[in-house]
Amino acid sequence: MIALVLNKVEEIKMKVTSDWILSLTEKIFYMIPCLFLGYLFLLSLETKLGILSPVQHNPIYTVYFITFLSFFFCGFLTRQIRILKDKDEAFVKLGTLLLLASQLVMLNMICAAMLIFFIKKEFSWDIRHIPFRQLKWRWQLALCFYIATTAFLVFIVRQMIL
């Protein structure tokens, strides 16, 4: 019985690839803001006000609104990492690290765990050796720094509010 379970676990491990992990992470990044907007819609139906009235009147909803809408950018960045995974190792490593840091600061542990699993699967924990000489400064990298900066600012504002 134990051998059967272990064989099934090994079979599942073989099916889980880094592309699958990034694809699932991207879908989660797109789904979370839609769920938050749905929550705002339900809240607006209950209060009979506009959909953005909680965001305008409550600073906690404003912080969450900024946080969750930045996840659309994170999803787009995850797609770029998946596309450039075999072509630009320096960008993939730096982008993944910045995206992981931003998700840890925003307390999005589900996507952070998925990104850690991607790092383990793709690079075998050898992510700290980023070939900076091969790094091409592109707009995707600027988006990485934008997401990281937004995450740290949201973290500071959230600490001030709560």
Side-chain angles (χ1 to χ4, degrees):
M1 181 68 176
I2 294 174
L4 182 65
V5 171
L6 291 176
N7 286 338
K8 195 65 168 170
V9 168
E10 288 299 321
E11 182 181 320
I12 291 172
K13 276 185 178 179
M14 296 301 287
K15 287 183 181 179
V16 173
T17 62
S18 58
D19 281 336
W20 184 83
I21 293 167
L22 283 180
S23 176
L24 182 63
T25 307
E26 176 187 349
K27 289 173 183 154
I28 290 171
F29 275 134
Y30 288 140
M31 199 169 49
I32 290 173
C34 293
L35 290 174
F36 181 71
L37 289 174
Y39 172 72
L40 285 179
F41 176 72
L42 290 176
L43 199 61
S44 71
L45 287 178
E46 182 180 312
T47 60
K48 298 196 182 357
L49 296 173
I51 191 168
L52 292 178
S53 64
V55 175
Q56 293 170 347
H57 300 298
N58 192 344
I60 293 174
Y61 282 122
T62 306
V63 169
Y64 286 143
F65 184 74
I66 293 168
T67 301
F68 292 140
L69 287 186
S70 72
F71 285 178
F72 279 121
F73 294 112
C74 295
F76 182 73
L77 185 61
T78 307
R79 176 175 289 178
Q80 294 301 313
I81 288 172
R82 191 167 42 124
I83 290 171
L84 297 172
K85 183 179 67 159
D86 298 326
K87 299 176 186 131
D88 193 358
E89 179 184 350
F91 165 72
V92 170
K93 284 184 175 183
L94 187 61
T96 305
L97 280 178
L98 286 172
L99 194 58
L100 176 63
S102 70
Q103 295 313 301
L104 287 173
V105 167
M106 284 194 205
L107 300 176
N108 184 4
M109 296 303 162
I110 295 170
C111 292
M114 298 291 283
L115 289 170
I116 288 172
F117 194 61
F118 167 73
I119 290 169
K120 180 184 178 293
K121 191 90 166 159
E122 186 69 25
F123 302 113
S124 301
W125 299 111
D126 189 32
I127 197 162
R128 63 181 180 263
H129 301 293
I130 300 172
F132 284 105
R133 295 193 191 276
Q134 298 173 1
L135 192 61
K136 297 178 184 99
W137 292 97
R138 355 172 137 186
W139 60 271
Q140 292 103 334
L141 203 54
L143 185 61
C144 289
F145 283 109
Y146 169 74
I147 290 170
T149 305
T150 304
F152 287 113
L153 290 176
V154 164
F155 174 75
I156 291 168
V157 169
R158 186 173 46 202
Q159 294 303 317
M160 290 172 32
I161 290 175
L162 300 175

